[in-house]
PDB file of all heavy atoms in Angstrom:
ATOM      1  N   ALA A1409       2.539 -45.392 -60.109  1.00 97.00           N
ATOM      2  CA  ALA A1409       2.645 -43.989 -60.523  1.00 97.00           C
ATOM      3  C   ALA A1409       2.166 -43.796 -61.954  1.00 97.00           C
ATOM      4  O   ALA A1409       2.517 -44.574 -62.853  1.00 97.00           O
ATOM      5  CB  ALA A1409       4.079 -43.516 -60.379  1.00 97.00           C
ATOM      6  N   GLY A1410       1.412 -42.758 -62.190  1.00 96.00           N
ATOM      7  CA  GLY A1410       0.811 -42.545 -63.503  1.00 96.00           C
ATOM      8  C   GLY A1410       1.778 -42.072 -64.565  1.00 96.00           C
ATOM      9  O   GLY A1410       1.529 -42.222 -65.759  1.00 96.00           O
ATOM     10  N   TYR A1411       2.892 -41.458 -64.136  1.00 97.00           N
ATOM     11  CA  TYR A1411       3.881 -40.931 -65.092  1.00 97.00           C
ATOM     12  C   TYR A1411       5.259 -41.143 -64.504  1.00 97.00           C
ATOM     13  O   TYR A1411       5.546 -40.699 -63.403  1.00 97.00           O
ATOM     14  CB  TYR A1411       3.620 -39.452 -65.333  1.00 97.00           C
ATOM     15  CG  TYR A1411       4.628 -38.750 -66.229  1.00 97.00           C
ATOM     16  CD1 TYR A1411       4.638 -38.944 -67.609  1.00 97.00           C
ATOM     17  CD2 TYR A1411       5.558 -37.860 -65.702  1.00 97.00           C
ATOM     18  CE1 TYR A1411       5.541 -38.288 -68.426  1.00 97.00           C
ATOM     19  CE2 TYR A1411       6.472 -37.206 -66.512  1.00 97.00           C
ATOM     20  CZ  TYR A1411       6.469 -37.405 -67.872  1.00 97.00           C
ATOM     21  OH  TYR A1411       7.357 -36.768 -68.682  1.00 97.00           O
ATOM     22  N   VAL A1412       6.118 -41.849 -65.247  1.00 98.00           N
ATOM     23  CA  VAL A1412       7.497 -42.080 -64.853  1.00 98.00           C
ATOM     24  C   VAL A1412       8.371 -41.721 -66.054  1.00 98.00           C
ATOM     25  O   VAL A1412       8.176 -42.251 -67.147  1.00 98.00           O
ATOM     26  CB  VAL A1412       7.738 -43.537 -64.439  1.00 98.00           C
ATOM     27  CG1 VAL A1412       9.183 -43.709 -63.967  1.00 98.00           C
ATOM     28  CG2 VAL A1412       6.775 -43.965 -63.349  1.00 98.00           C
ATOM     29  N   ALA A1413       9.302 -40.789 -65.857  1.00 97.00           N
ATOM     30  CA  ALA A1413      10.098 -40.303 -66.972  1.00 97.00           C
ATOM     31  C   ALA A1413      11.537 -40.072 -66.550  1.00 97.00           C
ATOM     32  O   ALA A1413      11.853 -39.930 -65.376  1.00 97.00           O
ATOM     33  CB  ALA A1413       9.496 -39.010 -67.490  1.00 97.00           C
ATOM     34  N   ALA A1414      12.426 -40.029 -67.568  1.00 97.00           N
ATOM     35  CA  ALA A1414      13.839 -39.855 -67.307  1.00 97.00           C
ATOM     36  C   ALA A1414      14.429 -38.848 -68.301  1.00 97.00           C
ATOM     37  O   ALA A1414      14.196 -38.953 -69.502  1.00 97.00           O
ATOM     38  CB  ALA A1414      14.586 -41.183 -67.427  1.00 97.00           C
ATOM     39  N   LEU A1415      15.192 -37.905 -67.772  1.00 96.00           N
ATOM     40  CA  LEU A1415      15.847 -36.916 -68.614  1.00 96.00           C
ATOM     41  C   LEU A1415      17.063 -37.514 -69.269  1.00 96.00           C
ATOM     42  O   LEU A1415      17.733 -38.391 -68.693  1.00 96.00           O
ATOM     43  CB  LEU A1415      16.253 -35.713 -67.734  1.00 96.00           C
ATOM     44  CG  LEU A1415      16.900 -34.523 -68.452  1.00 96.00           C
ATOM     45  CD1 LEU A1415      15.864 -33.793 -69.278  1.00 96.00           C
ATOM     46  CD2 LEU A1415      17.513 -33.578 -67.419  1.00 96.00           C
ATOM     47  N   GLY A1416      17.405 -37.059 -70.467  1.00 93.00           N
ATOM     48  CA  GLY A1416      18.627 -37.502 -71.107  1.00 93.00           C
ATOM     49  C   GLY A1416      18.472 -37.593 -72.600  1.00 93.00           C
ATOM     50  O   GLY A1416      17.359 -37.565 -73.158  1.00 93.00           O
ATOM     51  N   SER A1417      19.610 -37.720 -73.270  1.00 93.00           N
ATOM     52  CA  SER A1417      19.578 -37.866 -74.724  1.00 93.00           C
ATOM     53  C   SER A1417      19.069 -39.234 -75.122  1.00 93.00           C
ATOM     54  O   SER A1417      18.917 -40.121 -74.280  1.00 93.00           O
ATOM     55  CB  SER A1417      21.009 -37.680 -75.267  1.00 93.00           C
ATOM     56  OG  SER A1417      21.828 -38.770 -74.860  1.00 93.00           O
ATOM     57  N   ARG A1418      18.847 -39.443 -76.409  1.00 94.00           N
ATOM     58  CA  ARG A1418      18.392 -40.767 -76.865  1.00 94.00           C
ATOM     59  C   ARG A1418      19.481 -41.816 -76.621  1.00 94.00           C
ATOM     60  O   ARG A1418      19.185 -42.967 -76.279  1.00 94.00           O
ATOM     61  CB  ARG A1418      18.025 -40.686 -78.338  1.00 94.00           C
ATOM     62  CG  ARG A1418      16.749 -39.917 -78.580  1.00 94.00           C
ATOM     63  CD  ARG A1418      16.367 -39.884 -80.053  1.00 94.00           C
ATOM     64  NE  ARG A1418      15.062 -39.248 -80.253  1.00 94.00           N
ATOM     65  CZ  ARG A1418      14.877 -37.930 -80.346  1.00 94.00           C
ATOM     66  NH1 ARG A1418      15.941 -37.118 -80.282  1.00 94.00           N
ATOM     67  NH2 ARG A1418      13.681 -37.438 -80.499  1.00 94.00           N
ATOM     68  N   ALA A1419      20.755 -41.433 -76.791  1.00 95.00           N
ATOM     69  CA  ALA A1419      21.847 -42.393 -76.533  1.00 95.00           C
ATOM     70  C   ALA A1419      21.901 -42.766 -75.057  1.00 95.00           C
ATOM     71  O   ALA A1419      22.066 -43.921 -74.683  1.00 95.00           O
ATOM     72  CB  ALA A1419      23.174 -41.793 -76.988  1.00 95.00           C
ATOM     73  N   THR A1420      21.742 -41.750 -74.183  1.00 95.00           N
ATOM     74  CA  THR A1420      21.733 -41.994 -72.753  1.00 95.00           C
ATOM     75  C   THR A1420      20.540 -42.892 -72.369  1.00 95.00           C
ATOM     76  O   THR A1420      20.682 -43.796 -71.547  1.00 95.00           O
ATOM     77  CB  THR A1420      21.658 -40.668 -71.979  1.00 95.00           C
ATOM     78  OG1 THR A1420      22.838 -39.917 -72.238  1.00 95.00           O
ATOM     79  CG2 THR A1420      21.517 -40.914 -70.481  1.00 95.00           C
ATOM     80  N   HIS A1421      19.424 -42.646 -73.003  1.00 95.00           N
ATOM     81  CA  HIS A1421      18.256 -43.429 -72.670  1.00 95.00           C
ATOM     82  C   HIS A1421      18.428 -44.879 -73.146  1.00 95.00           C
ATOM     83  O   HIS A1421      17.964 -45.817 -72.464  1.00 95.00           O
ATOM     84  CB  HIS A1421      16.995 -42.825 -73.305  1.00 95.00           C
ATOM     85  CG  HIS A1421      15.734 -43.472 -72.809  1.00 95.00           C
ATOM     86  ND1 HIS A1421      15.342 -43.432 -71.497  1.00 95.00           N
ATOM     87  CD2 HIS A1421      14.770 -44.182 -73.466  1.00 95.00           C
ATOM     88  CE1 HIS A1421      14.197 -44.076 -71.346  1.00 95.00           C
ATOM     89  NE2 HIS A1421      13.825 -44.540 -72.533  1.00 95.00           N
ATOM     90  N   ALA A1422      19.078 -45.077 -74.268  1.00 96.00           N
ATOM     91  CA  ALA A1422      19.298 -46.456 -74.739  1.00 96.00           C
ATOM     92  C   ALA A1422      20.164 -47.213 -73.744  1.00 96.00           C
ATOM     93  O   ALA A1422      19.911 -48.389 -73.434  1.00 96.00           O
ATOM     94  CB  ALA A1422      19.974 -46.418 -76.109  1.00 96.00           C
ATOM     95  N   GLN A1423      21.211 -46.552 -73.197  1.00 96.00           N
ATOM     96  CA  GLN A1423      22.015 -47.177 -72.152  1.00 96.00           C
ATOM     97  C   GLN A1423      21.173 -47.492 -70.936  1.00 96.00           C
ATOM     98  O   GLN A1423      21.297 -48.560 -70.302  1.00 96.00           O
ATOM     99  CB  GLN A1423      23.166 -46.276 -71.771  1.00 96.00           C
ATOM    100  CG  GLN A1423      24.249 -46.109 -72.842  1.00 96.00           C
ATOM    101  CD  GLN A1423      25.335 -45.173 -72.386  1.00 96.00           C
ATOM    102  OE1 GLN A1423      25.140 -44.321 -71.520  1.00 96.00           O
ATOM    103  NE2 GLN A1423      26.527 -45.338 -72.951  1.00 96.00           N
ATOM    104  N   ARG A1424      20.316 -46.551 -70.577  1.00 96.00           N
ATOM    105  CA  ARG A1424      19.441 -46.741 -69.409  1.00 96.00           C
ATOM    106  C   ARG A1424      18.553 -47.954 -69.570  1.00 96.00           C
ATOM    107  O   ARG A1424      18.363 -48.748 -68.644  1.00 96.00           O
ATOM    108  CB  ARG A1424      18.644 -45.464 -69.175  1.00 96.00           C
ATOM    109  CG  ARG A1424      17.680 -45.537 -67.986  1.00 96.00           C
ATOM    110  CD  ARG A1424      16.821 -44.303 -67.888  1.00 96.00           C
ATOM    111  NE  ARG A1424      17.634 -43.117 -67.644  1.00 96.00           N
ATOM    112  CZ  ARG A1424      17.739 -42.085 -68.478  1.00 96.00           C
ATOM    113  NH1 ARG A1424      17.089 -42.089 -69.637  1.00 96.00           N
ATOM    114  NH2 ARG A1424      18.480 -41.037 -68.184  1.00 96.00           N
ATOM    115  N   LEU A1425      17.966 -48.091 -70.733  1.00 97.00           N
ATOM    116  CA  LEU A1425      17.070 -49.222 -70.976  1.00 97.00           C
ATOM    117  C   LEU A1425      17.821 -50.555 -70.872  1.00 97.00           C
ATOM    118  O   LEU A1425      17.259 -51.539 -70.384  1.00 97.00           O
ATOM    119  CB  LEU A1425      16.424 -49.095 -72.357  1.00 97.00           C
ATOM    120  CG  LEU A1425      15.407 -47.950 -72.527  1.00 97.00           C
ATOM    121  CD1 LEU A1425      14.914 -47.922 -73.978  1.00 97.00           C
ATOM    122  CD2 LEU A1425      14.262 -48.106 -71.561  1.00 97.00           C
ATOM    123  N   ARG A1426      19.081 -50.582 -71.279  1.00 97.00           N
ATOM    124  CA  ARG A1426      19.874 -51.823 -71.136  1.00 97.00           C
ATOM    125  C   ARG A1426      20.115 -52.123 -69.661  1.00 97.00           C
ATOM    126  O   ARG A1426      20.029 -53.282 -69.231  1.00 97.00           O
ATOM    127  CB  ARG A1426      21.180 -51.693 -71.907  1.00 97.00           C
ATOM    128  CG  ARG A1426      21.008 -51.738 -73.429  1.00 97.00           C
ATOM    129  CD  ARG A1426      22.325 -51.937 -74.129  1.00 97.00           C
ATOM    130  NE  ARG A1426      23.201 -50.777 -74.033  1.00 97.00           N
ATOM    131  CZ  ARG A1426      23.200 -49.774 -74.900  1.00 97.00           C
ATOM    132  NH1 ARG A1426      22.382 -49.782 -75.930  1.00 97.00           N
ATOM    133  NH2 ARG A1426      24.041 -48.762 -74.748  1.00 97.00           N
ATOM    134  N   ARG A1427      20.404 -51.075 -68.879  1.00 97.00           N
ATOM    135  CA  ARG A1427      20.652 -51.305 -67.436  1.00 97.00           C
ATOM    136  C   ARG A1427      19.391 -51.759 -66.719  1.00 97.00           C
ATOM    137  O   ARG A1427      19.449 -52.533 -65.779  1.00 97.00           O
ATOM    138  CB  ARG A1427      21.154 -50.018 -66.780  1.00 97.00           C
ATOM    139  CG  ARG A1427      22.537 -49.567 -67.200  1.00 97.00           C
ATOM    140  CD  ARG A1427      23.072 -48.532 -66.226  1.00 97.00           C
ATOM    141  NE  ARG A1427      22.177 -47.403 -66.046  1.00 97.00           N
ATOM    142  CZ  ARG A1427      22.167 -46.305 -66.777  1.00 97.00           C
ATOM    143  NH1 ARG A1427      23.030 -46.186 -67.788  1.00 97.00           N
ATOM    144  NH2 ARG A1427      21.355 -45.317 -66.510  1.00 97.00           N
ATOM    145  N   LEU A1428      18.236 -51.275 -67.168  1.00 97.00           N
ATOM    146  CA  LEU A1428      16.956 -51.543 -66.486  1.00 97.00           C
ATOM    147  C   LEU A1428      16.159 -52.651 -67.175  1.00 97.00           C
ATOM    148  O   LEU A1428      14.961 -52.788 -66.948  1.00 97.00           O
ATOM    149  CB  LEU A1428      16.118 -50.277 -66.422  1.00 97.00           C
ATOM    150  CG  LEU A1428      16.724 -49.088 -65.670  1.00 97.00           C
ATOM    151  CD1 LEU A1428      15.779 -47.886 -65.766  1.00 97.00           C
ATOM    152  CD2 LEU A1428      17.000 -49.425 -64.226  1.00 97.00           C
ATOM    153  N   ALA A1429      16.822 -53.417 -67.999  1.00 97.00           N
ATOM    154  CA  ALA A1429      16.101 -54.410 -68.831  1.00 97.00           C
ATOM    155  C   ALA A1429      15.251 -55.354 -68.016  1.00 97.00           C
ATOM    156  O   ALA A1429      14.215 -55.855 -68.493  1.00 97.00           O
ATOM    157  CB  ALA A1429      17.083 -55.189 -69.702  1.00 97.00           C
ATOM    158  N   ASP A1430      15.645 -55.657 -66.785  1.00 95.00           N
ATOM    159  CA  ASP A1430      14.907 -56.605 -65.961  1.00 95.00           C
ATOM    160  C   ASP A1430      13.870 -55.934 -65.057  1.00 95.00           C
ATOM    161  O   ASP A1430      13.223 -56.594 -64.244  1.00 95.00           O
ATOM    162  CB  ASP A1430      15.863 -57.419 -65.100  1.00 95.00           C
ATOM    163  CG  ASP A1430      16.639 -56.546 -64.138  1.00 95.00           C
ATOM    164  OD1 ASP A1430      16.764 -55.328 -64.371  1.00 95.00           O
ATOM    165  OD2 ASP A1430      17.119 -57.058 -63.106  1.00 95.00           O
ATOM    166  N   ALA A1431      13.714 -54.617 -65.184  1.00 95.00           N
ATOM    167  CA  ALA A1431      12.801 -53.882 -64.292  1.00 95.00           C
ATOM    168  C   ALA A1431      11.346 -54.089 -64.729  1.00 95.00           C
ATOM    169  O   ALA A1431      10.998 -53.863 -65.902  1.00 95.00           O
ATOM    170  CB  ALA A1431      13.126 -52.401 -64.299  1.00 95.00           C
ATOM    171  N   PRO A1432      10.473 -54.523 -63.827  1.00 94.00           N
ATOM    172  CA  PRO A1432       9.039 -54.631 -64.164  1.00 94.00           C
ATOM    173  C   PRO A1432       8.470 -53.253 -64.532  1.00 94.00           C
ATOM    174  O   PRO A1432       8.825 -52.239 -63.945  1.00 94.00           O
ATOM    175  CB  PRO A1432       8.413 -55.131 -62.837  1.00 94.00           C
ATOM    176  CG  PRO A1432       9.542 -55.729 -62.076  1.00 94.00           C
ATOM    177  CD  PRO A1432      10.759 -54.937 -62.439  1.00 94.00           C
ATOM    178  N   GLY A1433       7.606 -53.239 -65.539  1.00 94.00           N
ATOM    179  CA  GLY A1433       6.956 -51.992 -65.945  1.00 94.00           C
ATOM    180  C   GLY A1433       7.810 -51.094 -66.810  1.00 94.00           C
ATOM    181  O   GLY A1433       7.465 -49.910 -66.988  1.00 94.00           O
ATOM    182  N   LEU A1434       8.901 -51.586 -67.354  1.00 96.00           N
ATOM    183  CA  LEU A1434       9.808 -50.745 -68.120  1.00 96.00           C
ATOM    184  C   LEU A1434       9.128 -50.117 -69.326  1.00 96.00           C
ATOM    185  O   LEU A1434       9.532 -49.011 -69.769  1.00 96.00           O
ATOM    186  CB  LEU A1434      11.035 -51.545 -68.542  1.00 96.00           C
ATOM    187  CG  LEU A1434      12.183 -50.755 -69.203  1.00 96.00           C
ATOM    188  CD1 LEU A1434      12.714 -49.695 -68.258  1.00 96.00           C
ATOM    189  CD2 LEU A1434      13.284 -51.702 -69.651  1.00 96.00           C
TER     190      LEU A1434
END
Side-chain angles (χ1 to χ4, degrees):
Y1411 176 74
V1412 182
L1415 183 71
S1417 68
R1418 289 182 174 84
T1420 296
H1421 189 63
Q1423 291 179 335
R1424 179 184 297 117
L1425 291 178
R1426 288 193 290 271
R1427 292 195 307 271
L1428 300 177
D1430 62 338
L1434 188 59

